[in-house]
Amino acid sequence: MSKTLHLSALLLLAAGTTPAFAQKAEKTETKTTTTEKKDDEAKRPPLPDDKTITQTARIGGRVVSYKATIGKIPVRDDKGKEIGQVVYTAYTVPGGDVRRPVTFAFNGGPGASSVYLNMGAVGPKRVPFGAQGDAPSDAPITTDNPNSWLDFTDLVFIDPIGTGFSRSLVDEAETKKAFYANDPDIKYLSKVVYDWLVKEGRLRSPKYVMGESYGGYRAPRIAYELQSQIGVGVNGLVMVSPYLDPASGDDATALSPLPWMIDLPSMAAAQLERQGKLNAESMAGVEAYARGDYLRDLMRGRSDTQAVDRLVTRVAELTGLDPALVRKLGGRVDTRTYLREIHRNDSTIGSIYDSNVTAFDPFPWSSQQRSNDPLLDSLIAPTTSAMVDFVTREVGWKTDARYHALSYEVNSAWDRGKPDDTPVTDLRKAIANDPKMKVMIVHGWDDLSCPYFASRLIVDQMPSYGVAQRVHLNVYPGGHMFYSRSDSGAAFRRDAMAMYGG
């Protein structure tokens, strides 16, 4: 398993397994034949027609009236046969101003619906999840989201096939080929964006693509596909805790220091936060060490005992781990060990998505973790219940189909191909082609599923494109879903408004 875990990277919601399905608990699988699945597909009732209601929310200090729509877009193969149906949630402010932007939002996994960005980050309503103290049994009651973006952009949240209520209409083998692989995923989702724009008459509007975790892998690729193949220009990209370079987190080669370099700053950030000392200034010193003395001492190897001593002392100080343990690990602290050992004294375990969000370890004396990620397990109930209640009761889009906030089946079936830096390659080409395209990458300091330092290194290696800072990187207190903290969510909103020109 790769050291950097992803629900690919879910929420990886992300990596290796991949984030959101990182540290998935063992379970018994029931095998279903392809014939049985085809029979089940044929028996399923059709999804309802699009349904729209009017709602209001207090956002940015004023009441915003908007249309909330649950709709579906057919996915067709090259011969025109309908092979899938993508369900989306759109929030639009009436007025017909062609200058009003529209933002298309994707979560990750693969296997995650868009509910996390919708009801956690930028949608007009939110339900608490993802922060210390939130529990699965909390009432899934939504409230106005003061950090929503709806006052300055319309929002369209898209659920890929196999997530939310979106579904395939073909057999298992064809489904995997058409939907559950990196490249086909980009092609059909890009076409869904185009189809929505045509359906709603919004091709003249400014267009933005937003993606979280594996959605951050999708976003630059979708933008380039739209720009270069479909013929739709994208005005801006927002990548939230993105899974940009799968190869950088792979420790399959014993010579690569990148996995250890990338994770160390996020471990240090969590320790600084526990001490009440986390800020950009303190992290600047950590980053300088990670790409400087740490890297040099790591590559000197065990033959240089002074280098090993320096490494152990500094890493133990930065992470808060026992120096004896750090020495056993050779200064190379893997995430699983860190998440258990840093909270060992109180019998809790930290989340890969935010190591300072903890739950009691159900098997504290086991040599290995035997439970799923604590944050991942805790968010399924509130997000699923809140979304289904909104769709079926508030909007009145009646269906008895199951809603998949996270699909382990999709994640397991996904063909990840060879890990490479395709998202970064497509990002480079897209912004080289369009000097007006705006790009913002955002992270939480404490995230170990998609560590911010990977994006820092990637951005620092990109060309300047003739300007001082073509790609903006912002880091906030919190983890993978830093927006679950109200202050970080507010800072994210302010940075986005500046980017959109609001």
Side-chain angles (χ1 to χ4, degrees), residues 54-215:
T54 299
Q55 292 188 310
T56 61
R58 180 168 287 276
I59 303 168
R62 67 185 181 92
V63 174
V64 177
S65 178
Y66 60 91
K67 301 289 187 181
T69 299
I70 307 298
K72 64 180 184 291
I73 290 177
V75 180
R76 302 185 185 279
D77 64 14
D78 293 339
K79 297 180 180 180
K81 173 188 174 183
E82 186 173 358
I83 60 174
Q85 295 172 328
V86 168
V87 178
Y88 64 86
T89 304
Y91 304 104
T92 58
V93 175
D97 188 344
V98 71
R99 295 169 298 178
R100 181 168 171 80
V102 56
T103 299
F104 298 90
F106 301 86
N107 269 95
S113 75
S114 60
V115 66
Y116 309 101
L117 287 175
N118 183 352
M119 292 198 166
V122 302
K125 306 288 183 178
R126 71 177 306 273
V127 63
F129 68 86
Q132 186 68 38
D134 291 339
S137 58
D138 291 341
I141 298 173
T142 60
T143 58
D144 291 353
N145 180 10
N147 296 329
S148 174
W149 295 9
L150 188 57
D151 56 337
F152 60 87
T153 177
D154 289 339
L155 300 163
V156 183
F157 297 92
I158 295 175
D159 294 335
I161 296 295
T163 75
F165 290 115
S166 299
R167 63 189 189 181
S168 171
L169 301 178
V170 291
D171 65 25
E172 183 177 4
E174 195 172 348
T175 294
K176 291 180 68 173
K177 182 179 179 181
F179 302 117
Y180 297 166
N182 294 344
D183 292 345
D185 175 75
I186 299 305
K187 291 186 179 300
Y188 91 83
L189 289 176
S190 299
K191 182 63 164 49
V192 167
V193 170
Y194 171 79
D195 287 347
W196 188 94
L197 290 166
V198 173
K199 177 181 179 180
E200 300 298 328
R202 297 294 298 274
L203 280 168
R204 296 183 299 165
S205 300
K207 306 156 199 75
Y208 290 76
V209 178
M210 178 185 194
E212 177 181 14
S213 194
Y214 187 82

Side-chain angles (χ1 to χ4, degrees), residues 7 10-14 20-21 89 91 105-130 145 157-160 163-164 210-215 218 240 353 375-387 403-408 480-484 492:
L7 185 5
L10 124 56
L11 283 120
L12 49 267
L13 14 122
F21 292 170
T89 304
Y91 304 104
F106 301 86
N107 269 95
S113 75
S114 60
V115 66
Y116 309 101
L117 287 175
N118 183 352
M119 292 198 166
V122 302
K125 306 288 183 178
R126 71 177 306 273
V127 63
F129 68 86
N145 180 10
F157 297 92
I158 295 175
D159 294 335
T163 75
M210 178 185 194
E212 177 181 14
S213 194
Y214 187 82
R218 285 173 166 139
V240 183
Y353 304 109
L375 194 154
L376 185 61
D377 268 3
S378 71
L379 57 77
I380 300 296
T383 55
T384 301
S385 294
M387 192 65 193
Y403 180 85
H404 295 273
L406 289 177
S407 173
Y408 287 96
H480 197 73
M481 294 174 285
F482 59 83
Y483 48 74
S484 64
F492 183 28

Side-chain angles (χ1 to χ4, degrees), residues 425-441:
T425 298
D426 284 356
L427 174 61
R428 286 188 176 206
K429 291 188 289 188
I431 63 179
N433 289 339
D434 190 342
K436 295 181 180 179
M437 181 185 288
K438 304 172 185 177
V439 181
M440 180 169 68
I441 300 175

Side-chain angles (χ1 to χ4, degrees), residues 344-405:
R344 174 72 72 179
N345 291 340
D346 57 8
S347 298
T348 62
I349 187 167
S351 169
I352 193 172
Y353 304 109
D354 186 335
S355 57
N356 283 337
V357 173
T358 63
F360 285 106
D361 188 346
F363 306 99
W365 302 290
S366 174
S367 60
Q368 295 182 338
Q369 181 180 343
R370 294 173 56 193
S371 59
N372 205 357
D373 186 88
L375 194 154
L376 185 61
D377 268 3
S378 71
L379 57 77
I380 300 296
T383 55
T384 301
S385 294
M387 192 65 193
V388 173
D389 182 67
F390 168 71
V391 169
T392 61
R393 184 184 63 82
E394 291 191 47
V395 178
W397 198 79
K398 299 294 187 181
T399 179
D400 58 3
R402 180 184 169 189
Y403 180 85
H404 295 273

Side-chain angles (χ1 to χ4, degrees), residues 475-496:
V475 190
Y476 312 101
H480 197 73
M481 294 174 285
F482 59 83
Y483 48 74
S484 64
R485 304 189 187 191
S486 59
D487 290 351
S488 293
F492 183 28
R493 169 183 157 84
R494 288 193 298 270
D495 291 336

